Amino acid sequence: MTHEQQLEIYRALGMLVGQLHSKHIYEKCSHLQSQQYASWKHMFSDIIQKQITLFNGTIFEELGNRIHKYLIDNLHLIDYDIVPRLLHMDLHCGNILVSNTKITGILDAEDAIIGHNEYELMRIEKAHFEENNKNDYREEFMSSYNCYVKLDDGYEERRQMYSLSRELVGMKCFLDYGDKYAQNGSVEEEKKNMEDKIKRIINMN
């Protein structure tokens, strides 16, 4: 697939996600057909707390506690009235059906929630743009998305916090799948790469 075709796909993805976030707006943040929260701050705290407990007694217990402290210390970044929007929450390449540069379908919406759109944007950025430093693809996606939803002031700072929260998912996958999850060599190398990435995020703030 050519560079221009990739740009076209990310332009279409930005439009699709922007339409999803702009059309489906709610009064409260919540898990679908489940508990509602007084604020996104409370919901995000609950999500993180449940994730952190998964690392008790594992090789990631100390690192998990460090992440937890950082996130709790920075909750003030999301202590404001966000617009609760419908989020798919798993828009990696495997869940996006494409034919001739056209997005024809989206799969696997079982993790969908009603929450802060930036939380989903961070997950998309990490899944599609982070590893290969694809800034032009990111810019195309964000430009298209912003035609439907404007980002709140301070997005870049919150993006770092949300990015760190996403690393908890990678840590859990590492524990669950071990060798199968190691992408860049041995399990030990993958673990060190993961720890170094997390420490960089924490130390840059």
Side-chain angles (χ1 to χ4, degrees), residues 4-199:
E4 288 302 319
Q5 288 173 324
Q6 288 276 20
L7 287 175
E8 185 175 346
I9 290 172
Y10 283 118
R11 190 180 307 123
L13 182 61
M15 180 178 70
L16 185 150
V17 177
Q19 289 175 337
L20 172 68
H21 290 175
S22 63
K23 290 181 179 179
H24 301 279
I25 296 175
Y26 300 82
E27 293 184 1
K28 297 285 187 180
C29 296
S30 71
H31 299 283
L32 297 189
Q33 300 179 338
S34 185
Q35 178 182 359
Q36 291 188 336
Y37 292 83
S39 69
W40 168 245
K41 174 185 172 182
H42 288 94
M43 182 172 176
F44 181 72
S45 299
D46 189 51
I47 291 171
I48 296 304
Q49 185 62 50
K50 290 176 180 176
Q51 289 177 315
I52 290 296
T53 59
L54 299 175
F55 303 111
N56 292 342
T58 74
I59 58 173
F60 286 131
E61 182 171 6
E62 182 180 350
L63 188 61
N65 289 336
R66 186 174 177 183
I67 293 173
H68 190 212
K69 182 181 184 306
Y70 172 88
L71 294 174
I72 294 301
D73 288 347
N74 285 276
L75 281 178
H76 63 278
L77 296 175
I78 55 173
D79 191 12
Y80 70 100
D81 292 330
I82 64 104
V83 177
R85 305 177 190 272
L86 180 63
L87 315 179
H88 179 282
M89 293 301 290
D90 201 14
L91 287 172
H92 60 76
C93 292
N95 283 337
I96 302 170
L97 303 181
V98 176
S99 177
N100 297 323
T101 73
K102 305 297 182 184
I103 296 177
T104 58
I106 297 294
L107 305 176
D108 195 11
E110 64 183 28
D111 293 329
I113 63 172
I114 298 169
H116 196 191
N117 60 309
E118 294 178 3
Y119 193 41
E120 173 133 280
L121 293 179
M122 172 278 302
R123 294 169 73 99
I124 292 172
E125 289 199 45
K126 291 185 76 67
H128 294 269
F129 313 129
E130 182 180 78
E131 293 299 328
N132 297 312
N133 198 27
K134 299 176 180 177
N135 289 330
D136 51 347
Y137 295 159
R138 177 182 185 265
E139 290 173 3
E140 198 70 27
F141 169 83
M142 293 302 294
S143 176
S144 182
Y145 178 85
N146 286 333
C147 291
Y148 297 89
V149 181
K150 301 298 182 184
L151 297 178
D152 297 335
D153 292 339
Y155 169 62
E156 289 300 322
E157 191 173 11
R158 290 187 297 275
R159 183 164 71 97
Q160 292 300 323
M161 183 185 73
Y162 285 146
S163 177
L164 186 61
S165 73
R166 178 59 179 165
E167 295 301 327
L168 295 172
V169 178
M171 290 160 58
K172 182 62 168 61
C173 289
F174 184 93
L175 292 177
D176 289 343
Y177 303 111
D179 289 337
K180 294 180 181 179
Y181 188 73
Q183 302 173 2
N184 302 312
S186 69
V187 170
E188 285 302 316
E189 288 174 330
E190 186 69 22
K191 179 175 178 288
K192 185 178 185 305
N193 290 338
M194 188 178 298
E195 291 173 340
D196 289 346
K197 182 194 296 185
I198 290 168
K199 290 173 183 176

